[in-house]
Amino acid sequence: RERWKRCQRRASPHTEDDVSVLRHQNIGADEGFYNYCTFSLVISVTGIPVASLISQAWLTVKEHPTDADADAVLQKNITSSLVAGSGQITDTGAADTIGELTFLFTAAQTATLTAGKPYTFDVKMAYDTGEVLPLIEDSTLTPGGAVTRDYT
């Protein structure tokens, strides 16, 4: 459990009036992202319109931004229900216009990534109205190389 906590990275994509897009986020070993290790990416979202809530969010990791979604290295789809190995919308923003998304990476999932290789990723979310918005774009995940790989 402590490993998850230490590896959290918070990003607040917002302006005073509405949700805006974070660009050029680079997550790597300095943020605790290693292959063969668990990792949690926590994103705080402010500026959610009153009477709206976050109903769904996606994180997609690809080798190249132009790859088809079907060819993504990892793709996570989260809702307000916890899904092991994917994550959860831990706060929909309904109460106070501030939401929180948690994307979970298992050791088995990060083991599929090559250490030192930058992968492109983005995060999108949807309101209960069906409107889909980008939260993080043009960003990279570059896992550090774990020395210990067998935790059995």
Side-chain angles (χ1 to χ4, degrees):
R1 193 163 177 92
E2 282 302 308
R3 183 180 299 138
W4 290 96
K5 196 173 189 180
R6 266 187 287 121
C7 294
Q8 289 182 350
R9 177 175 171 95
R10 294 189 176 269
S12 296
H14 66 83
T15 64
E16 295 275 328
D17 301 328
D18 63 353
V19 174
S20 64
V21 179
L22 279 174
R23 296 192 179 281
H24 309 297
Q25 300 298 298
N26 299 303
I27 299 173
D30 288 346
E31 290 76 32
F33 187 65
Y34 286 86
N35 60 1
Y36 297 91
C37 294
T38 56
F39 183 77
S40 175
L41 175 63
V42 178
I43 304 168
S44 297
V45 182
T46 61
I48 298 168
V50 174
S52 291
L53 56 90
I54 303 169
S55 62
Q56 198 166 3
W58 302 266
L59 180 142
T60 305
V61 179
K62 298 179 179 180
E63 287 192 28
H64 308 285
T66 56
D67 291 348
D69 284 355
D71 296 328
V73 176
L74 289 172
Q75 192 165 41
K76 297 175 178 291
N77 178 355
I78 61 171
T79 65
S80 58
S81 298
L82 177 63
V83 175
S86 285
Q88 179 179 17
I89 299 169
T90 51
D91 185 343
T92 63
D96 58 5
T97 72
I98 300 170
E100 187 169 89
L101 314 175
T102 300
F103 290 98
L104 306 175
F105 295 80
T106 66
Q109 291 167 340
T110 62
T112 66
L113 305 175
T114 303
K117 178 179 180 175
Y119 295 87
T120 187
F121 84 99
D122 70 4
V123 175
K124 296 193 177 8
M125 70 170 207
Y127 290 127
D128 57 337
T129 61
E131 181 181 10
V132 177
L133 300 170
L135 288 178
I136 300 177
E137 294 287 339
D138 305 319
S139 296
T140 56
L141 285 171
T142 308
V147 175
T148 302
R149 295 181 178 196
D150 186 1
Y151 299 105
T152 58

